Amino acid sequence: MGASINFKTEDALRQAVFDTAKSQLHVRERTNRNDHRDITKYNQAILLPKNAFYCASGLYWCHLANGVRLPIAAPGAVFSWFSDQSKIIYRRSARGNQRTGRKPQLMDGVSLFQSHVEGYASRSWDPDAEYIQTIGFNTTGGKGTVGGVYMVRRRLRDVKLMVNHITPYFETLKALKNAK
């Protein structure tokens, strides 16, 4: 796994993580029990059992494959992706959706349902859109599909939170590089 300090721009890093996630779109569970050799790879990369739920571990693995070790305490636990309030950039509230910081960008984390995370899979953000595009691990591609990795169209009203771990990570790397 290469060092992410070699990425010249944050956009290049985000694109690399997205391209890695997109390369996993072939993954489909064989017997609906989180059973595919690549699922084992995602989970073992962060020391989880081979057939554990993999929405978070799959997304984190895409970062690891590009040399990125995001500072998430338990990267296989969805709640851990959203525990640092300073990284929350979007929060659904009773009064409507509220962006709380930077605009969502490619491969920011998207919290859905009770405990599920996907990557934001668009290069632009429209806060008034009815739908957003995500790439999800341990999900389905719609009616009649098995669990796996899919590009998914999600209702924005179903999004609880969005989080940006990549920008702070990249800024820290840049600062370290400039300090040398």
Side-chain angles (χ1 to χ4, degrees), residues 5-177:
I5 202 158
N6 293 328
F7 289 101
K8 297 202 184 298
T9 66
E10 180 183 337
D11 287 340
L13 172 57
R14 287 176 177 279
Q15 185 65 49
V17 172
F18 175 74
D19 290 344
T20 301
K22 199 171 166 187
S23 76
Q24 299 303 296
L25 290 174
H26 69 278
V27 173
R28 300 289 181 272
E29 296 174 20
R30 292 190 175 106
T31 64
N32 203 27
R33 290 188 180 99
N34 302 338
D35 52 349
H36 186 284
R37 70 181 181 284
D38 288 341
I39 295 168
T40 299
K41 172 178 65 178
Y42 313 145
N43 285 329
Q44 288 181 340
I46 58 172
L47 307 176
L48 291 177
K50 71 178 191 168
N51 294 96
F53 294 118
Y54 58 98
C55 66
S57 62
L59 191 58
Y60 196 79
W61 178 86
C62 295
H63 292 79
L64 287 176
N66 288 285
V68 175
R69 288 194 174 276
L70 297 175
I72 298 173
V78 173
F79 74 86
S80 194
W81 282 72
F82 300 93
S83 63
D84 184 344
Q85 296 299 305
S86 70
K87 293 187 173 72
I88 303 291
I89 56 172
Y90 177 90
R91 179 183 311 276
R92 185 184 72 205
S93 71
R95 293 175 287 153
N97 298 324
Q98 299 177 352
R99 197 168 49 82
T100 60
R102 303 172 191 254
K103 285 194 276 185
Q105 300 173 73
L106 188 65
M107 294 314 290
D108 282 340
V110 178
S111 173
L112 298 155
F113 315 118
Q114 193 63 18
S115 182
H116 185 68
V117 63
E118 295 182 353
Y120 183 63
S122 183
R123 286 174 184 63
S124 61
W125 169 250
D126 178 1
D128 298 319
E130 187 174 347
Y131 292 93
I132 63 169
Q133 186 76 26
T134 64
I135 189 162
F137 292 73
N138 201 22
T139 192
T140 62
K143 190 175 181 175
T145 61
V146 299
V149 182
Y150 294 92
M151 293 292 285
V152 187
R153 187 173 173 227
R154 299 286 189 192
R155 288 186 181 278
L156 186 54
R157 71 177 184 213
D158 293 338
V159 173
K160 293 178 177 183
L161 298 167
M162 293 179 81
V163 65
N164 179 344
H165 287 285
I166 296 175
T167 300
Y169 177 86
F170 190 78
E171 288 172 352
T172 299
L173 287 179
K174 245 174 52 178
L176 289 172
K177 188 175 181 180

